[in-house]
Amino acid sequence: IRRGPGPLFAPTTKVGNVFILSPRCYNQFGFGVIGPHWFGPVCCAGLETIATIYYYPIAKNNVGMISAVICLLFYCLGLVSLCLVACSDPGIVKAGGLDGVGVERNGYAGVSTAENNITARAGWRYCDLCSVYQPPSAMHCPECNVCIEGYDHHCPWMGQCIGKKNFTSFMMFNCSWLFYLLYAIIWVTFLGQAGKKYQHHGK
């Protein structure tokens, strides 16, 4: 992907099976990508939206406005973290640089290719599919057809790989929907309504 002046929303390009919606935004902020399984994040957003449409009025009418607002906060946090995971660069290893000592390769400065420099080459592998040198933690993903640094797994629900650069957002999303689910079932459905009825009968 070339760097250079141009509009923020330049024509879409493709790296492997990953679509770069805005090359300039991607180069500057690492944001603006869509993986091959784009329907996964859409399904996740739809499920959270349906859950909020169901639980929000229950929380508002049977528990209280504060509980309803908390449902909305969980919903917004889930959507934001989902967007960060699905649309952020997971750690794509990019080709670049020239052979030699001390020149930049794949965005990493000082990687030596000298045959006698075992320390510099330790753990680095060459990917024939991507024609790039992989850092020690990188792996090639056959679904995205790119090498991912800090590769964890390919998640169709997130639409792309989970790697070094979006792993934190991935954990944030998992925590947000899990706590939302527990909050909706335990508090909104049972404890909150029971407490409201107890207060009402107490009066």
Side-chain angles (χ1 to χ4, degrees):
I1 298 174
R2 295 176 56 192
R3 295 175 181 267
L8 188 61
F9 297 99
T12 301
T13 186
K14 196 176 180 183
V15 177
N17 295 330
V18 179
F19 291 94
I20 310 298
L21 302 181
S22 173
R24 187 180 178 190
C25 184
Y26 170 76
N27 287 328
Q28 291 183 352
F29 308 109
F31 189 80
V33 306
I34 292 291
H37 298 127
W38 55 268
F39 51 85
V42 174
C43 291
C44 289
L47 290 174
E48 285 215 45
T49 301
I50 292 172
T52 302
I53 291 174
Y54 177 78
Y55 282 109
Y56 176 81
I58 295 177
K60 181 180 179 181
N61 299 327
N62 299 340
V63 183
M65 192 61 197
I66 294 179
S67 296
V69 171
I70 293 176
C71 284
L72 290 180
L73 291 176
F74 272 122
Y75 174 63
C76 293
L77 178 61
L79 288 186
V80 170
S81 56
L82 174 63
C83 185
L84 288 175
V85 179
C87 299
S88 293
D89 175 15
I92 299 174
V93 181
K94 298 179 287 291
L98 301 172
D99 291 347
V101 179
V103 291
E104 185 175 355
R105 183 196 299 277
N106 305 334
Y108 299 91
V111 178
S112 175
T113 58
E115 292 299 328
N116 59 352
N117 194 337
I118 300 176
T119 303
R121 295 186 293 109
W124 287 73
R125 303 175 301 276
Y126 184 79
C127 177
D128 294 324
L129 299 173
C130 297
S131 299
V132 296
Y133 282 86
Q134 299 175 344
S137 62
M139 286 185 62
H140 181 86
C141 173
E143 299 289 342
C144 292
N145 196 27
V146 290
C147 292
I148 305 293
E149 184 180 7
Y151 180 85
D152 187 77
H153 68 287
H154 180 88
C155 181
W157 289 104
M158 300 295 101
Q160 64 165 338
C161 290
I162 306 302
K164 176 181 178 180
K165 295 184 179 180
N166 66 350
F167 184 81
T168 301
S169 300
F170 176 69
M171 294 303 298
M172 183 189 305
F173 171 73
N174 282 331
C175 290
S176 68
W177 74 257
L178 180 59
F179 283 120
Y180 188 12
L181 180 65
L182 294 175
Y183 176 79
I185 294 177
I186 296 175
W187 176 253
V188 175
T189 305
F190 294 107
L191 296 183
Q193 295 190 48
K196 193 74 176 291
K197 291 178 181 178
Y198 178 79
Q199 289 182 348
H200 180 73
H201 290 304
K203 295 180 180 178

